[in-house]
Amino acid sequence: MKKYILMMGMAATLGLTSCSDYLEETNRNSVTSDVLYGTPEGYDNLVNACYAYSKAFMGNTDGYSLTEMGTDCFTGAGSSSGNVPALAYYGLDLNPTYKPFRYMWNILYSGLNCCNAAIARAEKSGMDQATMNHRLGEVHFLRALYLHLITEIWGDAILYTEEIQAPQTTAVRSPQAEIYQQIFTDLDEAAKLLNGTQAKENGRVTLNAVKALKARLALYREDWSTAASLAKELINSGTYSFYDKFSDTFDMANEAGQDNKECIWWVNYTGNADDQTLFPAFAKYDESSPTLGNRYGNQSPIFSCMSYWMVSGCGVWVTPDTHAPWVQSMPTLAYLHTFDETIDQRYDATFKGVWLVNSTTSNYDKNFGPKYGAEGPLAIGDTAFIVSKYVYSDEERAKHHYKIYDANDVFDAVTHKSYGTRDYFISGYKFHDSTNPTGWEYFSRRDWFVLRLAEMYLIASEAEMKLGNKAEAVKLMNVLREKRAIPGHEAEMRITEADLDIDFILDERGRELSMEQQRYFDLKRTGKFIERIKKMNPDVADVIQPYHQLRPIPQSEIDALTNKSEFKQNEGYQ
């Protein structure tokens, strides 16, 4: 019954702009939404539905493509251009008909409307006052989150704060400043309602989560004092701490649901059908990919994985340790070189460049090893091949008894553009998950960390620098960098005031927050979108334009409106 109420609650909140082609429901039950949400159990499920939409963005390949690909850090990969998201290359495919834009628009606006419904119906839920306040605080936070994503992706956008129960044929775009005013109003209301509630509860929003999100968004809006104050409050609260190893932060044994020491708020995943966030209404967006279309769970382990099984005869095969590869995203060479892996433990914890033999039955040729200088056939655990960001001479290659893909095998030696099949590259393995039953799983039960302690240090350092307090900014930055140092290299990781500027901060955020779905937003808010992409991502240096800082509004949304003359497409998109 609980699942049935949840699904009915979802369906009741999907009637948004031009959504009629997505969902046609026939109510074969006399139970109305007023009755469903008029009980504590029904209202609780409505609040849970508000959370569910975050799973379609956080830890999802579409959300990852929107925020990480085509930036200074990640470019496209894969031999078939048809499989590479348009967001990687800013080509003709990046247009208002691109299906993921339509999907994400509907997901985020449906999440927004679900929050509107929960806020409007709280008083009639039958809940006791304390519980109702808690749930309302959670929903105000979620509404702020969805509005933030909407306005950062599309700019001036439709601002709904009332529940929409029928398709709308007209719409008005509100200025981004007005949308952010509503966002901060919601966060302040959430803080008031959640005051005194701190216990982590299976991914539910807490007061500290509200403070952390407000600190992040204050940084976006250049409210340096608020950003610094809230971030430092969380740093000094004693509630969160660092692991000795950066890799332990993301170890499956330290999931947020198991009280991860650093995580402030996360999206809770289980890795089974309970995680399904694409209901039949939305699953139509990609009929050609039924496996990915189901989206049970977190997809982060496959965000940036090379075609390792295509290295013929190497003995590396698809297992839970190697993951099912999603060969569509690879790091840029310039980004890889922002890391100094001799002193910074984050490089080896973020990327995988060494591949070991894990099978002598699949993709195994006993002559593979001798071909590259090994004395005999490779055994389980032997190095099969490596991918490196450095260039190897013939003499250096001869010293190693395995196949080597060096920087010049992956990137053009002069332009540093990716070339060839783009199948072989240093892979992102930050979100490694070997707990799946097989290697062919495209999903994980891994929780998705949205807000964590390290970001608070980055926020506080940047804000203090902007306030002119450079000594304090360096002090905060060095705390983080010392924690991320390889033991014994702490002194080498420290910086001075002369080192600290916005480019250093962006480099540091890239090292710390790699693949955590913030990069696109960071480049925009700092005014470095064009400069850094041109400098670090030669694949798109000649095509990137200022208008790419906003995404096109789905054409289907504009087509459904009767006031098209007032509701204009974002500049640069036809």
Side-chain angles (χ1 to χ4, degrees), residues 38-309:
T39 67
E41 181 184 27
Y43 185 76
D44 229 13
N45 279 301
L46 176 59
V47 173
N48 291 343
C50 295
Y51 279 94
Y53 291 95
S54 65
K55 294 183 180 182
F57 188 89
M58 305 293 181
N60 186 286
T61 53
D62 292 303
Y64 170 81
S65 297
L66 272 165
T67 52
E68 297 288 342
M69 296 181 70
T71 64
D72 53 343
C73 297
F74 285 90
T75 184
S79 57
S80 172
S81 61
N83 291 330
V84 177
L87 289 156
Y89 300 126
Y90 301 98
L92 295 177
D93 289 342
L94 187 66
N95 62 59
T97 64
Y98 188 49
K99 289 181 179 179
F101 291 136
R102 180 186 184 192
Y103 161 66
M104 197 56 69
W105 175 280
N106 279 283
I107 282 290
L108 294 176
Y109 269 109
S110 295
L112 173 64
N113 201 47
C114 196
C115 293
N116 290 341
I119 291 169
R121 296 168 182 269
E123 293 295 337
K124 296 182 179 180
S125 66
M127 282 186 166
D128 64 88
Q129 191 67 43
T131 304
M132 186 187 75
N133 285 348
H134 195 293
R135 295 293 179 259
L136 266 177
E138 297 170 43
V139 173
H140 276 285
F141 171 95
L142 292 168
R143 184 163 76 174
L145 178 66
Y146 294 135
L147 281 171
H148 154 63
L149 294 174
I150 287 168
T151 193
E152 287 300 332
I153 293 170
W154 290 288
D156 298 346
I158 308 168
L159 177 57
Y160 288 123
T161 56
E162 302 292 334
E163 180 184 3
I164 305 298
Q165 299 190 39
Q168 304 294 296
T169 59
T170 62
V172 176
R173 298 182 70 171
S174 297
Q176 186 176 70
E178 184 178 331
I179 295 173
Y180 264 105
Q181 184 177 9
Q182 179 61 49
I183 287 169
F184 287 113
T185 296
D186 275 316
L187 290 175
D188 289 342
E189 184 67 13
K192 181 175 70 175
L193 291 163
L194 289 169
N195 190 31
T197 59
Q198 291 298 319
K200 291 183 178 181
E201 184 192 346
N202 203 31
R204 288 197 179 277
V205 174
T206 65
L207 177 59
N208 279 352
V210 176
K211 292 177 180 179
L213 183 59
K214 187 174 181 181
R216 177 192 289 180
L217 300 191
L219 199 71
Y220 277 55
R221 305 306 290 173
E222 300 185 356
D223 181 355
W224 314 122
S225 295
T226 298
S229 175
L230 287 172
K232 290 167 78 171
E233 180 182 342
L234 291 166
I235 289 169
N236 296 325
S237 69
T239 306
Y240 311 99
S241 60
F242 291 108
Y243 290 93
D244 291 334
K245 293 182 179 179
F246 180 64
S247 59
D248 285 348
T249 306
F250 301 95
D251 193 296
M252 290 297 291
N254 297 322
E255 277 201 288
Q258 299 176 37
D259 201 26
N260 184 280
K261 294 195 302 183
E262 187 179 328
C263 187
I264 299 172
W265 183 64
W266 67 97
V267 173
N268 179 247
Y269 279 103
T270 61
N272 57 38
D274 289 338
D275 282 333
Q276 185 173 8
T277 58
L278 294 190
F279 306 108
F282 296 116
K284 292 194 295 183
Y285 112 92
D286 189 6
E287 299 91 342
S288 65
S289 182
T291 304
L292 289 178
N294 287 331
R295 283 175 171 76
Y296 293 161
N298 184 332
Q299 294 179 288
S300 61
I302 66 168
F303 275 172
S304 178
C305 186
M306 67 164 277
S307 303
Y308 54 85
W309 80 98

Side-chain angles (χ1 to χ4, degrees), residues 313-319 357-366 378-380:
C314 68
V316 182
W317 194 238
V318 184
T319 71
V357 175
N358 63 9
S359 173
T360 55
T361 57
S362 299
N363 192 29
Y364 179 75
D365 181 349
K366 65 181 181 180
L378 297 180
I380 299 293

